[in-house]
Amino acid sequence: MARVLVTGGSGFIGSRVVRALTAAGHEVRVLDLVPPSSPAPGVELVLGDVRDPDDVRAALVGVDAVDHHAATVGMGLDLSDLPRYAGHNDLGTAVLLAGMHAAGVRALVLASSMVVYGEGAYACAAHGPVAPAPRRENELAAGLFEPPCPVCGAQLAPGLVQEDAPADPRSVYAVTKLAQELLTTVWARESGGRAALLRYHNVYGPGLPRDTPYAGVAAIFLSALLAGRAPEVFEDGGQRRDFVHVDDVAAANVAALESVLAAGTGARAYNVASGTPRTVLDLAAGLARVVGGPQPVVSGRYRAGDVRHVTAGTERITRELGWRPRVEFADGLAELAAEFSATLPLLR
């Protein structure tokens, strides 16, 4: 059994991680700016800010490992979000790592994201694996959503991105998540610590935030459906993503924690995903079926900062940590829809 500090342990993913760690027999302390809506029994809560060295120092007393989830999430609204994202995600991580070094804590699980990849993996029939250029505004406006081969302009075939793919962050949030990984890698090398960098793909499940600028697309679709509106799907709906249930993500954290508590040094990245690509239209249509709501409308609208396809290979995390997803997609959607429906009177 280990004593684990979970930063951001009151949030959507962090709170499920807290419960999973507790169920696995670990002693958990949470550092967060706000208390959890449903506190887990036996969990110690420290109200504080990961950017405050004094709060971090107090929270680290007696700790064996840290699971770092405290962050500002989502794509951001515009460039005015730069200071907030960098100030929270990167400064907070730097303060935490410095505190861990001073306290002699050498084990860390970092909640990272698939956004560090930018676009996913692609191959051209003529030129093999290639990295597409950032999508152009004029092409998106013309409905040309698939990125072309940067060499010959032919249509590319999307594939599964692996952890050794080069980073290519394409939003403010993505840059801060990559910076977190780089800071953690330096910390591990210079302190002799061990870190697992968990690159979450599209996480959904109970507790998913809703009706905010940073809500996941599943929450946005369900909010529309339960209000009697057809969910709006951007572009042509063919964007490929990997939707992974929050309980599977929590289980990945438990497996990663046990890995970083074992012997060894350095930082290692892992995709946390279902391994099964699905389109955004698949998600919207699946949720519509579950709740008996109107079928989705494909609008052709777009956001310039979005990537077209990003889906993951999960061989490394299965091979090295023994983790694999357990929640079936249809079951997860039904569970999420049931939770949203139960709280519908509160949303009106």
Side-chain angles (χ1 to χ4, degrees):
M1 182 187 77
R3 178 175 291 180
V4 185
L5 173 66
V6 180
T7 71
S10 297
F12 164 48
I13 300 176
S15 61
R16 304 296 276 207
V17 170
V18 166
R19 292 180 180 276
L21 289 171
T22 302
H26 299 290
E27 185 178 338
V28 178
R29 177 184 296 156
V30 168
L31 173 64
D32 207 314
L33 288 167
V34 297
S37 56
S38 301
V43 173
E44 179 186 356
L45 173 64
V46 176
L47 289 177
D49 193 329
V50 74
R51 296 166 292 186
D52 186 318
D54 291 335
D55 289 347
V56 169
R57 187 180 305 111
L60 285 169
V61 172
V63 162
D64 302 306
V66 175
D67 195 309
H68 183 32
H69 277 79
T72 296
V73 300
M75 279 188 59
L77 298 178
D78 53 46
L79 289 178
S80 65
D81 271 339
L82 271 166
R84 184 164 64 93
Y85 274 73
H88 197 167
N89 298 355
D90 299 339
L91 175 60
T93 300
V95 170
L96 175 66
L97 294 171
M100 290 176 63
H101 179 63
V105 180
R106 298 289 181 261
L108 173 67
V109 177
L110 173 69
S112 187
S113 171
M114 54 86 173
V115 296
V116 301
Y117 296 120
E119 288 283 354
Y122 291 85
C124 172
H127 298 99
V130 294
R135 298 197 290 173
R136 298 183 178 91
E137 182 79 25
N138 63 323
E139 293 173 345
L140 294 171
L144 302 175
F145 301 122
E146 294 290 347
C149 174
V151 180
C152 67
Q155 184 169 329
L156 299 174
L160 301 179
V161 67
Q162 306 294 339
E163 289 89 348
D164 56 0
D168 186 18
R170 300 190 178 193
S171 69
V172 170
Y173 173 62
V175 169
T176 65
K177 297 309 287 184
L178 179 58
Q180 286 184 312
E181 288 196 7
L182 295 173
L183 288 167
T184 298
T185 300
V186 171
W187 164 83
R189 182 173 61 245
E190 297 192 3
S191 72
R194 172 77 170 163
L197 316 174
L198 301 185
R199 293 173 176 169
Y200 301 158
H201 284 247
N202 293 75
V203 185
Y204 74 100
L208 184 67
R210 66 198 74 185
D211 298 330
T212 78
Y214 312 111
V217 67
I220 295 170
F221 289 161
L222 268 176
S223 294
L225 285 163
L226 294 176
R229 303 190 308 271
E232 179 189 4
V233 178
F234 280 17
E235 300 186 16
D236 60 1
Q239 310 93 303
R240 288 158 54 101
R241 295 291 187 269
D242 189 304
F243 299 98
V244 58
H245 194 275
V246 66
D247 286 341
D248 285 331
V249 172
N253 276 262
V254 175
L257 177 76
E258 293 169 356
S259 173
V260 299
L261 285 169
T265 61
R268 185 76 161 157
Y270 297 96
N271 287 327
V272 180
S274 73
T276 303
R278 290 182 170 86
T279 68
V280 174
L281 183 57
D282 288 339
L283 174 68
L287 289 170
R289 284 193 299 272
V290 166
V291 302
Q295 287 300 301
V297 172
V298 177
S299 69
R301 290 207 299 154
Y302 61 87
R303 295 185 300 184
D306 279 347
V307 298
R308 179 62 176 176
H309 305 297
V310 55
T311 55
T314 57
E315 294 84 0
R316 177 183 291 182
I317 192 170
T318 299
R319 181 179 65 251
E320 297 183 8
L321 302 187
W323 174 91
R324 53 177 46 84
R326 304 292 183 187
V327 180
E328 294 293 336
F329 186 61
D331 295 339
L333 293 188
E335 178 190 31
L336 179 62
E339 184 199 48
F340 268 58
S341 298
T343 59
L344 185 60
L346 301 177
L347 300 176
R348 286 175 172 164

